[in-house]
Amino acid sequence: MPRPQVLAVPLAAALVLAACTSTDRPSVQADEVALPTPMRSIDPSAQRSIAAVESALSAVGERLVLPTAAYRPSEPPALLQLPRTIRRVDLADPDDGYVVIYQAPGSGAAIELADDLADYLESGFGQTNYVADTQFAVSTLGDTIIFTTWSQRRSDDPDRAEAAFEAIAAVGSPVPIDK
């Protein structure tokens, strides 16, 4: 008859192995692409911001789509761990038209964090990941921060990209950026 200690070791090893090879994965909503961002589901205020951006874009004949690749803009440390959702304007250039909607803990925090983002983008370091002619738009809408960029030099269709940028920049309360 086997000793209990002898059976305990293989049993423990089997349980550890089973836990490490589990096929359970966090679910991703059907309308979300699994991107390396902290937001796994979209908060209702972020959904309202997406709807506001979609409405502004439809006025200029554009639409938002889910990105097909991961995107992470250059951002200050204060925004690194904020939940966010990423969308992209359906432009010809797949690297153009990204929109980041950050979820702040409240509307006051959104204003402070948007100011931090603007200060960061005004700094030389904040602009190092963008081409020289890049324009930035930062605004707040409730407890969200809406961020997008546009560069004429990088765009395949500068007129469409600029119209989309201007439409997005008009959503919410703009935060001035002195470049």
Side-chain angles (χ1 to χ4, degrees):
M1 179 173 190
R3 292 181 293 185
Q5 300 93 328
V6 174
L7 291 176
V9 173
L11 180 60
L15 290 173
V16 169
L17 183 60
C20 292
T21 59
S22 171
T23 58
D24 292 340
R25 301 270 190 270
S27 64
V28 176
Q29 293 183 1
D31 70 335
E32 285 295 302
V33 175
L35 298 176
T37 63
M39 187 179 283
R40 297 301 272 168
S41 63
I42 301 175
D43 183 90
S45 60
Q47 289 175 342
R48 286 189 292 277
S49 294
I50 291 169
V53 170
E54 287 175 330
S55 177
L57 286 170
S58 71
V60 294
E62 299 296 342
R63 66 188 184 111
L64 278 183
V65 296
L66 292 169
T68 57
Y71 175 76
R72 187 80 183 236
S74 181
E75 56 197 7
L79 275 70
L80 290 176
Q81 292 305 312
L82 280 184
R84 84 254 348 257
T85 188
I86 312 284
R87 294 292 189 270
R88 195 180 75 73
V89 180
D90 192 18
L91 298 171
D93 181 353
D95 295 327
D96 205 5
Y98 281 96
V99 180
V100 182
I101 298 175
Y102 296 94
Q103 181 68 52
S107 58
I111 293 168
E112 289 178 25
L113 291 165
D115 287 339
D116 286 349
L117 178 56
D119 291 344
Y120 178 79
L121 294 169
E122 290 171 353
S123 74
F125 185 74
Q127 294 182 25
T128 57
N129 291 320
Y130 301 98
V131 295
D133 74 332
T134 300
Q135 300 297 308
F136 305 100
V138 175
S139 62
T140 60
L141 184 60
D143 59 355
T144 63
I145 302 160
I146 301 169
F147 172 63
T148 193
T149 63
W150 174 70
S151 165
Q152 181 173 5
R153 190 168 77 184
R154 286 191 47 136
S155 180
D156 287 345
D157 189 341
D159 293 334
R160 279 184 64 201
E162 184 177 20
F165 173 83
E166 294 296 332
I168 297 166
V171 174
S173 300
V175 176
I177 300 172
D178 297 322
K179 192 172 166 192

